[in-house]
Amino acid sequence: MEKAYNPVVMERRWYDFWERRGYFNPRGQGAPYTILLPPPNVTGTLHMGHAFQHTLMDALIRYHRMRGADVLWQAGSDHAGIATEMVVSRQLQAENQSRDRLGREAFIARVWEWKRQSGDTIERQMRRLGASADWTRSVFTMDEMPSRAVLECFVRLYDEGLIYRGQRLVNWDPVLQTAISDLEVVNQEEDGTLWTILYPFADPGLRGPDGRPGLEVATTRPETLLGDVCVAVHPDDERYLAFIGKTLILPLAGREIPIIADDYVDREFGTGCVKITPAHDFNDYEIGKRHGFAPLNVFTPQAAVNDEAPERYRGLDRYEARRRIVEDLKAQGLLLASQPHKLQIPRGDRSGEVIEPYLTDQWFVSMQRLARRGLDLVERGEVRFVPENWINTYRHWLEHIEDWCISRQLWWGHRIPAWYDRQGKVYVGRHEAEVRLKYDLDETIALTRDEDVLETWFSSALWPFSTLGWPDETAMAARGYEHRLPSSVLVTGFDILFFWVARMIMMTDHFTGRVPFHEVYITGLVRDKDGQKMSKSKGNILDPIDLIDGIDLAALIAKRTTGLMQPEMAERIAEATRREFTDGIPAFGADALRFTFAALATGGRDIKFDLQRCEGYRHFCNKLWNAARFVMQKIESGPAAGNSGRGVLEAGVAERWIASRLGATIAAVDEAYAAYRFDLAAQAIYDFTWNEFCDWYLELAKPQLAAEAEPDRAAATRRCLITTLDALLRLIHPFMPFISEEIWQRLKPHLEAAPDSLMVAPWPAAGGRDPEAEAEIAWLQAVILAVRGARTELNLAPGKPLPVVVLGGSDIDRRRWHQHETWLCRLARIAEATWQAGGEPPPDSALALAGDLRIAIPLAGLIDREAEIARLGGLLEKAEADAARSAAKLANARFVTHAPPAVVEQESQRLAQHRATGDRLRAQLKTLGVLSPSDPP
């Protein structure tokens, strides 16, 4: 084996090997185990959230594949209507062309051309991460098979009365000219203004609570005033009880509008009077419905003022209309006040434009009946959430569900199968010929097809069964419909629990009578090391491919500052990058990145991704590599005992101990996988590999492999090295597939009946425990660590042999000492041991404790005691002074209140470090028989 572990070369080699051999495909034997990949957007690239979830899915897939299951990881991608139209439209714009000039058919052809050339970027990146998905079955939501399912579901739902066309309020993007879902709206805090406007009473004799001839109304959107239908007050607000039922004159419009009572109104906000504009606010829309007011839309699809408004404002952009309206209110003496106000502004995640609540004709799915069934399935336990508390969120959403707007004003997507005659009557069918037959329409009746397409969440809701060929029975049989539905587990984020997960449950049940999956594992979000959400404006976005391959500082800064609008922000980010990465990000490799994700996956909570953890698991890869090199050298230096050989029958306590600890680790990992506690599985693997196998067993093996060792003992040790490393690599493989395969292929010639790849090797079985061997080695470790600890406290060279005097101890201690003397002398560097039945240790001795044993180390000739006491005393004095300074800072209320939180936290960490240093120095002085000034007598 090469001296250095180099992930970049080996990772590409082994992935190609696996894929060429067809190992990602179902084997056709064993119990089914299926995971649906949440289909990423075809325009997308791998981000940290993808990499996190894909790592967990791949670990589950590889684990169950090794356990003999008939595994399928169903891959695919979403056609991403809005995002894809934007990408191709920008390309056309660069060519001085446009979507509208091309026409619908030519534009869609252009999108398909782009998809063929650039639409599989994220799948290539998933391969770099090691994702063992069945790419031969990958499904694109616009492919013929899923498109057939979309068409079938729409027609059936319409015929059942569950799909209808109607006018309702939707999120409208004025730039993209389409409705969008709540998930595509990003709410962000921005600076705005709160205007207070006087709405005059229709009766000039009336006076409000403040004596004015009208009511004061506060609003952050004065341009919507033109669509007001009433003013609402709280029914218990004594200030306004006398005015309920009276009317006001709508400023600038001259219409009379009533004053109504509704308990939605917050009496404490603004003036306690709320303008109600049902066509331009979701809450107002519900109030309008309750009180029977027809919505009045005053905007065009481009968010300009339409002809329902006074002529003076028609055609104005909404913000120009706002400026003009404020000016006119001020001129008429109706603008009473304006003040700065923080607002939550809804912006489209694609266009960045402010979203309008907009009244328009759309297609909807009636959700009440479907939601009741979807909730019942989860309440009965047919679908289980992990962690279980997410059922509360699911329940709340379904109990307060609204009808689902499924139409989008786009060209790229599944076109709605509806046709209209000249009178606007709608006809729904799978194709026009079926429509004419279904509705008995002759050829003289002209039909025009609906221009809209279905939103992508509609086709995604059918993913569990549309990927299995439904409703075509031939395709269903070929793709294992009966075998694969329900799938085993869905791994996804909480942010799409309603938008995707709930809808899959409802739709799969409605059309197939089955649940889509047995379990849903909900992951948290990947945040930066400080817990902040990753965003381009903060400059804290990490690219998983950069972490795998590495990236130099200049390229990293360029990536982080791309697209930032403000140069000063770019410079701040560049400076932060220089502080964090001197030369850039090193090549951690996919295995270290994957293990980091697994170790941080703590049961659904958000994870703080720290590159130092990634660096630590890169060292873990090095540790494993170096251990494997040692094992390969040793097993090639002599024979290993056979499975039934005499050497195995005489396996020593070290071999029995490592086998017992391996069995315990395998059992712990199995238990962790069953509970989706990837962090616990990773920790168990890490502890066994680093602490027990590398740090202890390999050291215990060395004297047994020495030239002077007994041949049978050496052979048994070599066999144990082979079997333990083999099992360990199988255990590691789901988290770290590349390095485990690379090492295992070197080990394979020494294994009996090994398959061609570790990927298809059986999962190791958890053997029985050996309490006697574990107790024996635990005693040995305690003695060695006690002597090593005393050596460290005395600042003695690690390799210097020490004489010791052993005080007390039982007959068992004496037997163990003499039985393991070779290991004690080698690993604790003990020159000689003298046993003393009891009494006090020799004068000028340091004392180490190992259970009931007291181990004295005579210091004569080892150190200059007085010089060491002086040195330690000086260091202790400095540590206590540093701790006092930090404590004083933290006791200063001004510092704690005004300093940045990060600075206060850093000072707290310094105080803890100074105190820990002081404790360690005091312990060293006590070892020398000296009490520090702060110790009690």
Side-chain angles (χ1 to χ4, degrees):
M1 291 177 63
E2 298 82 354
K3 284 191 72 173
Y5 159 63
N6 183 354
V8 176
V9 175
M10 74 172 67
E11 290 177 358
R12 292 180 185 272
R13 179 172 72 246
W14 287 119
Y15 196 91
D16 292 343
F17 170 79
W18 295 326
E19 191 167 11
R20 284 198 312 272
R21 297 289 182 102
Y23 291 147
F24 301 159
N25 306 341
R27 68 179 74 194
Q29 296 177 338
Y33 185 85
T34 306
I35 292 181
L36 302 169
L37 173 74
N41 286 352
V42 69
T43 59
T45 56
L46 193 72
H47 57 60
M48 292 293 280
H50 288 136
F52 174 48
Q53 292 181 357
H54 294 175
T55 293
L56 304 188
M57 282 184 266
D58 192 50
L60 288 168
I61 285 292
R62 290 178 183 270
Y63 171 72
H64 285 279
R65 184 185 288 123
M66 296 177 77
R67 286 173 62 89
D70 185 20
V71 165
L72 169 64
W73 188 5
Q74 175 62 60
S77 54
D78 188 275
H79 61 278
I82 293 176
T84 304
E85 281 214 8
M86 288 184 68
V87 168
V88 177
S89 294
R90 288 193 191 108
Q91 290 181 348
L92 292 174
Q93 188 177 11
E95 301 167 9
N96 293 320
Q97 185 57 276
S98 73
R99 185 190 83 151
D100 293 335
R101 287 205 297 272
L102 271 184
R104 184 170 195 139
E105 290 187 11
F107 177 76
I108 292 174
R110 179 65 180 262
V111 175
W112 277 111
E113 179 186 346
W114 171 87
K115 199 279 182 181
R116 285 189 290 271
Q117 294 175 355
S118 307
D120 60 352
T121 297
I122 195 165
E123 287 192 356
R124 292 195 300 271
Q125 292 175 328
M126 285 179 66
R127 287 171 161 87
R128 295 298 318 282
L129 190 67
S132 59
D134 184 358
W135 302 112
T136 66
R137 295 174 54 128
S138 184
V139 173
F140 179 51
T141 49
M142 288 293 289
D143 287 343
E144 181 181 352
M145 182 179 68
S147 296
R148 188 184 307 119
V150 169
L151 183 65
E152 185 70 22
C153 289
F154 185 97
V155 173
R156 289 194 192 183
L157 288 171
Y158 180 83
D159 289 345
E160 294 169 20
L162 293 175
I163 280 184
Y164 65 92
R165 182 169 173 80
Q167 190 177 72
R168 293 187 61 178
L169 214 58
V170 298
N171 294 311
W172 184 263
D173 190 314
V175 171
L176 301 177
Q177 298 284 288
T178 182
I180 62 174
S181 72
D182 289 344
L183 194 64
E184 295 159 324
V185 177
V186 179
N187 290 291
Q188 56 191 48
E189 186 176 78
E190 299 181 19
D191 292 329
T193 303
L194 183 67
W195 287 273
T196 303
I197 303 167
L198 183 67
Y199 281 47
F201 290 118
D203 181 350
L206 285 177
R207 290 294 180 269
D210 56 359
R212 296 181 185 275
L215 294 183
E216 298 178 19
V217 176
T219 182
T220 58
R221 303 186 68 210
E223 65 277 14
T224 63
L225 169 153
L226 303 174
D228 287 356
V229 297
C230 63
V231 168
V233 297
H234 195 279
D236 298 329
D237 193 333
E238 295 182 356
R239 295 173 296 176
Y240 304 114
L241 293 180
F243 303 106
I244 296 172
K246 307 293 185 182
T247 58
L248 301 166
I249 300 298
L250 181 62
L252 309 181
R255 290 187 285 111
E256 284 195 32
I257 58 174
I259 302 168
I260 67 168
D262 195 287
D263 57 12
Y264 163 78
V265 177
D266 181 357
R267 286 176 283 183
E268 305 301 321
F269 179 76
T271 64
C273 300
V274 179
K275 58 189 288 299
I276 304 301
T277 316
H280 300 288
D281 183 275
F282 288 103
N283 292 317
D284 291 6
Y285 181 78
E286 295 302 322
I287 294 172
K289 280 203 306 183
R290 282 199 295 273
H291 294 272
F293 290 105
L296 176 62
N297 180 18
V298 294
F299 286 159
T300 68
Q302 296 80 18
V305 178
N306 67 17
D307 290 346
E308 294 292 336
E311 186 174 355
R312 171 175 170 75
Y313 306 111
R314 293 174 188 170
L316 296 179
D317 170 79
R318 55 184 162 170
Y319 297 117
E320 175 59 23
R322 174 184 295 182
R323 186 190 66 79
R324 187 83 60 86
I325 286 169
V326 168
E327 283 183 355
D328 291 349
L329 289 169
K330 188 174 183 180
Q332 295 182 23
L334 299 176
L335 183 64
L336 304 179
S338 63
Q339 61 189 70
H341 187 72
K342 292 289 185 182
L343 300 173
Q344 288 293 323
I345 300 295
R347 291 187 178 273
D349 66 343
R350 300 294 178 185
S351 68
E353 188 57 71
V354 175
I355 298 303
E356 282 292 339
Y358 188 64
L359 192 66
T360 180
D361 288 314
Q362 302 287 344
W363 288 91
F364 295 89
V365 178
S366 177
M367 297 302 294
Q368 296 301 318
R369 193 176 96 195
L370 295 170
R372 283 195 300 272
R373 177 66 180 166
L375 182 56
D376 183 51
L377 290 169
V378 173
E379 298 282 14
R380 293 202 321 245
E382 293 192 38
V383 178
R384 186 174 77 93
F385 289 118
V386 181
E388 292 182 355
N389 61 292
W390 283 108
I391 192 175
N392 298 324
T393 303
Y394 178 87
R395 182 185 298 117
H396 176 79
W397 277 339
L398 292 197
E399 288 176 346
H400 297 84
I401 200 166
E402 297 285 344
D403 286 354
W404 174 16
C405 177
I406 56 173
S407 49
R408 296 292 180 265
Q409 289 64 57
L410 304 170
W411 284 354
W412 173 242
H414 297 102
R415 194 167 179 180
I416 290 175
W419 284 259
Y420 303 91
D421 61 19
R422 289 191 178 94
Q423 287 72 43
K425 185 177 180 181
V426 64
Y427 307 93
V428 170
R430 292 164 185 82
H431 46 77
E432 185 175 346
E434 181 187 79
V435 164
R436 291 187 180 277
L437 183 64
K438 179 179 177 181
Y439 294 96
D440 194 23
L441 303 175
D442 62 42
E443 295 299 326
T444 62
I445 298 177
L447 295 178
T448 303
R449 187 166 183 177
D450 197 306
E451 293 286 330
D452 289 354
V453 300
L454 291 162
E455 76 152 334
T456 55
W457 291 111
F458 188 88
S459 52
S460 296
L462 317 181
W463 193 245
F465 55 97
S466 68
T467 54
L468 295 174
W470 186 94
D472 185 281
E473 291 187 2
T474 301
M476 290 164 66
R479 296 181 73 87
Y481 174 89
E482 293 295 333
H483 196 51
R484 299 291 175 188
L485 188 69
S487 61
S488 305
V489 61
L490 180 75
V491 178
T492 189
F494 64 82
D495 52 335
I496 55 174
L497 181 58
F498 173 70
F499 290 94
W500 190 44
V501 179
R503 289 169 179 169
M504 282 193 289
I505 293 173
M506 290 184 279
M507 290 297 182
T508 305
D509 169 70
H510 187 76
F511 288 106
T512 73
R514 307 183 184 196
V515 293
F517 23 72
H518 292 299
E519 295 179 312
V520 182
Y521 174 66
I522 306 292
T523 69
L525 297 177
V526 181
R527 300 181 179 272
D528 70 11
K529 64 180 182 180
D530 299 317
Q532 297 294 312
K533 187 175 180 180
M534 292 186 178
S535 70
K536 186 179 292 185
S537 63
K538 294 177 182 176
N540 60 353
I541 289 176
L542 295 171
D543 185 330
I545 303 302
D546 290 344
L547 302 185
I548 293 172
D549 291 340
I551 184 171
D552 64 43
L553 184 61
L556 178 65
I557 292 173
K559 286 187 67 169
R560 289 196 172 195
T561 56
T562 298
L564 292 172
M565 303 304 292
Q566 300 175 350
E568 60 272 20
M569 174 69 78
E571 182 52 40
R572 285 201 300 274
I573 292 171
E575 182 58 34
T577 302
R578 292 187 193 98
R579 287 197 302 271
E580 187 170 358
F581 310 111
T582 304
D583 300 314
I585 297 176
F588 294 122
D591 285 324
L593 177 61
R594 288 168 60 110
F595 204 86
T596 304
F597 282 130
L600 293 172
T602 55
R605 295 193 296 272
D606 288 354
I607 71 169
K608 296 180 181 180
F609 190 90
D610 187 349
L611 283 174
Q612 295 303 314
R613 292 287 293 269
C614 218
E615 178 70 17
Y617 294 125
R618 177 66 160 79
H619 294 324
F620 178 59
C621 291
N622 285 331
K623 184 86 168 178
L624 177 64
W625 184 263
N626 291 331
R629 288 186 71 243
F630 170 82
V631 171
M632 294 305 301
Q633 290 168 359
K634 296 305 178 184
I635 64 178
E636 291 170 358
S637 66
N643 286 337
S644 58
R646 180 167 172 263
V648 172
L649 295 177
E650 295 182 357
V653 66
E655 286 66 50
R656 290 164 49 209
W657 169 77
I658 196 65
S660 181
R661 295 307 308 144
L662 175 62
T665 302
I666 294 170
V669 172
D670 284 337
E671 184 178 341
Y673 270 114
Y676 300 103
R677 288 302 303 268
F678 301 95
D679 57 326
L680 299 182
Q683 188 62 51
I685 292 170
Y686 182 94
D687 288 344
F688 176 81
T689 304
W690 193 295
N691 300 327
E692 294 177 321
F693 182 65
C694 295
D695 284 358
W696 283 105
Y697 181 67
L698 296 187
E699 293 303 316
L700 295 173
K702 287 176 181 177
Q704 299 183 157
L705 296 169
E708 64 275 11
E710 297 177 15
D712 283 352
R713 174 65 60 235
T717 301
R718 291 190 190 96
R719 171 53 53 191
C720 185
L721 287 171
I722 292 169
T723 56
T724 306
L725 182 59
D726 175 35
L728 175 57
L729 293 171
R730 297 177 195 229
L731 201 62
I732 287 174
H733 181 76
F735 288 152
M736 305 173 78
F738 297 108
I739 189 173
S740 58
E741 183 77 72
E742 178 77 19
I743 296 172
W744 190 84
Q745 291 289 339
R746 315 294 183 100
L747 187 66
K748 190 172 72 168
H750 303 278
L751 303 175
E752 297 179 7
D756 290 339
S757 171
L758 174 60
M759 183 175 170
V760 291
W763 182 254
R769 301 291 292 273
D770 189 333
E772 182 181 344
E774 291 201 34
E776 197 83 0
I777 297 301
W779 178 91
L780 178 68
Q781 291 172 325
V783 173
I784 293 170
L785 292 174
V787 176
R788 286 178 176 174
R791 184 191 297 274
T792 300
E793 297 298 336
L794 293 167
N795 201 29
L796 297 175
K800 185 177 181 63
L802 302 175
V804 300
V805 176
V806 186
L807 293 89
S810 64
D811 291 342
I812 294 177
D813 291 322
R814 284 176 177 268
R815 175 189 63 76
R816 286 172 170 170
W817 190 287
H818 292 300
Q819 184 176 346
H820 306 316
E821 192 164 11
T822 300
W823 281 331
L824 289 169
C825 291
R826 181 185 180 99
L827 301 182
R829 304 299 293 169
I830 294 174
E832 59 178 341
T834 304
W835 280 79
Q836 181 176 309
E840 295 300 317
D844 290 335
S845 295
L847 199 62
L849 301 178
D852 294 333
L853 282 182
R854 294 184 298 160
I855 305 169
I857 304 172
L859 301 179
L862 292 178
I863 63 171
D864 182 336
R865 184 172 180 276
E866 297 305 321
E868 184 65 9
I869 291 172
R871 184 183 73 85
L872 294 175
L875 292 174
L876 177 60
E877 186 177 345
K878 181 180 184 303
E880 290 178 336
D882 290 341
R885 276 194 296 273
S886 291
K889 265 191 175 183
L890 293 169
N892 185 330
R894 182 174 178 80
F895 169 76
V896 173
T897 303
H898 293 88
V903 173
V904 177
E905 175 62 24
Q906 184 180 46
E907 199 62 44
S908 297
Q909 292 174 358
R910 285 175 181 163
L911 176 59
Q913 290 169 358
H914 296 325
R915 286 175 172 169
T917 300
D919 292 341
R920 178 175 54 81
L921 291 168
R922 277 187 285 272
Q924 289 176 270
L925 285 166
K926 285 182 180 179
T927 300
L928 295 172
V930 177
L931 290 176
S932 71
S934 58
D935 286 326

